[in-house]
Amino acid sequence: MIVSDSEFAESERLVLDKPLVEALKRRREELLTALAERAEPVYGVNTGMGRLAGVALDARQQAEHQRNLLIGRAVGGPPWLPPEDVRALLVVRLRDFLRPWSGVSAELVQFLVDRLNDGFTPAIPRFGLGSSGEIIALSHAFQTFLGVGTVLEDGVEVPAASALARRGVAPYVLGPKEGASLLQGSPLAVMHAQRGWTETQQLIDLQTLAEAMAIDVLGAPREVFAPVMAGGDDHLRALLHELNSLVGIGPVRPGVVQAPLSVRVAPRAIAHASRVNADLHETRRRWETMPGDSPSFVDGSFIPGTGYHAVDLGLRMDAVTAALVHLGELSVQRTHRLLDERFSGLPAQLTADPGPQAGLVPLHKRAAGELHALRRLATPATLGSIDTSAGQEDVQAFSSAAGEQLRAAATHVFAITACELVTASQARNLAGGNGVPGLHAGYRWVRSVVPPLAEDRPLGPEIERLIAACRTAFFDDLATLT
């Protein structure tokens, strides 16, 4: 596709169109002219960085400085970001460089585009990132452009210089300010925010489906799910409308006045997750409108920025993580209720032969283990600043850590949700029929991956396949399953 200043897909081959290249060249020329005419210090260009920002650099030192910035800060180690996250980070960095405030050369942008297109995957650390911004991670990412450090090929670390040579590519030679620009901003946090938002949207839809199946199987009274009960909460009202489109009027189990609490309150919890996730998405979109470089080149001037302090992204990712933890708790509880004959009226543990066959209780134990790990992720990652750089950098956002926690939480909730979906599908199979019409397609989808159990079998591989299916089957509107 042709790259422009608008959003672009992360998986497509990228091509810089000619007008964009010309615009990049004009901006670069303006920046170089401003540097040549400016008598005052420009942070990270003719000065040191951090506590050493007051040290002026002579012409020889400036020539080496941009390279040194990338090499001297690469102090991280494994585990490394997975390749799909690396590509997403590079795409975010590319998007940054297409904005007018960057001023990097068209040659650097083209080099970045070429590496995206040829699958170049720098080894970027996931943890141990204690800087005020993301300089440790970004130095590992972009020192590889210089032929320094390592990249990943089929999961194995290889020297970046060798990877470039195999592509017939010479290491990139940095121009003025380009090393500093590669280190600035928060593309790692932005990447996590985008991918975490997408995964959470997926989980919101899947949890809505699981909740609807629980209502159906348990024969829950429907009055508590009336949209009028949402008041002025638009997210809750939309969720209740969606649930009603799935479960309809439906039969109520005789003698049931109220469903278990985990069933009744789930719409409120799902709506909250939807709300905080929407807030995260809007915050990430705002980040695309703000200069991330420091200093940024704006209207011919070099203006210091704070794009390295992505605390607003981090705090919102922490909030989404907390919402996912609560969804996981409710899901595990609903799964337990589905297995209990007192609530379902079905054979104990959802087995056709109680006693000789264990049924799905082991599946609930898997979900309980996932929840135990999930709960430990609820502590906000953005809290806990520490003095570094001899006090020059005395606060950190730890936004990438918040992103790691959000993504890890999503992984556990995908597993928990898969366990609940299989349990609900088995319950519906034992109860007979396909349930309410709005869920026919949902049950078929689950059973196409994990067929109902006539007798015990090792479900581990099937659950993993369903987790993979959950990650790819995105429902823009669950009503389309009908």
Side-chain angles (χ1 to χ4, degrees), residues 29-96:
E29 189 60 36
E30 291 169 3
L31 180 143
L32 294 176
T33 299
L35 283 176
E37 295 176 349
R38 183 182 174 93
E40 296 82 6
V42 178
Y43 178 73
V45 178
N46 52 28
T47 75
M49 293 185 75
R51 181 67 181 270
L52 303 178
V55 178
L57 305 181
D58 61 28
R60 180 188 61 81
Q61 291 170 325
Q62 289 181 45
E64 301 171 350
H65 187 47
Q66 300 305 303
R67 177 183 175 86
N68 291 341
L69 287 175
L70 295 180
I71 295 174
R73 289 157 177 79
V75 296
W80 308 114
L81 280 179
E84 59 272 18
D85 283 3
V86 173
R87 177 176 172 82
L89 183 150
L90 296 181
V91 166
V92 174
R93 181 85 299 175
L94 174 58
R95 186 181 289 119
D96 290 341

Side-chain angles (χ1 to χ4, degrees), residues 304-427:
T306 57
Y308 47 80
H309 194 68
V311 67
D312 45 352
L313 284 172
L315 287 170
R316 283 166 172 80
M317 286 190 282
D318 282 338
V320 176
T321 299
L324 287 181
V325 171
H326 189 52
L327 289 185
E329 290 179 329
L330 292 175
S331 187
V332 171
Q333 293 301 91
R334 288 196 305 266
T335 301
H336 208 201
R337 300 293 83 77
L338 289 168
L339 289 161
D340 191 330
E341 67 275 16
R342 295 173 301 168
F343 295 95
S344 70
L346 299 171
Q349 303 184 180
L350 296 180
T351 173
D353 190 9
Q357 303 289 328
L360 293 187
V361 159
L363 194 58
H364 177 257
K365 296 180 187 295
R366 162 76 186 270
E370 298 283 353
L371 178 59
H372 182 256
L374 173 64
R375 282 171 169 157
R376 299 200 299 273
L377 298 170
T379 301
T382 46
L383 307 181
S385 293
I386 305 169
D387 264 15
T388 64
S389 293
Q392 178 71 15
E393 297 179 3
D394 56 358
V395 66
Q396 298 87 17
F398 292 116
S399 299
S400 62
E404 284 283 351
Q405 287 193 177
L406 171 55
R407 307 285 301 287
T411 295
H412 291 300
V413 180
F414 273 116
I416 289 169
T417 305
C419 291
E420 183 180 3
L421 290 171
V422 171
T423 304
S425 172
Q426 176 73 359

Side-chain angles (χ1 to χ4, degrees), residues 151-203:
V151 300
L152 302 177
E153 295 184 353
D154 297 323
V156 178
E157 284 186 69
V158 300
S162 300
L164 289 174
R166 280 193 295 275
R167 291 165 167 79
V169 175
Y172 185 78
V173 178
L174 295 164
K177 197 180 177 299
E178 290 188 322
S181 292
L182 286 166
L183 286 179
Q184 293 292 347
S186 301
L188 184 56
V190 172
M191 178 276 293
H192 277 307
Q194 172 61 33
R195 296 178 73 81
W197 171 81
T198 301
E199 292 167 359
T200 300
Q201 283 299 113
Q202 188 89 336
L203 286 166

Side-chain angles (χ1 to χ4, degrees), residues 136-147:
I136 295 175
L138 298 179
S139 63
H140 277 271
F142 296 114
Q143 67 172 353
T144 61
F145 285 15
L146 317 182

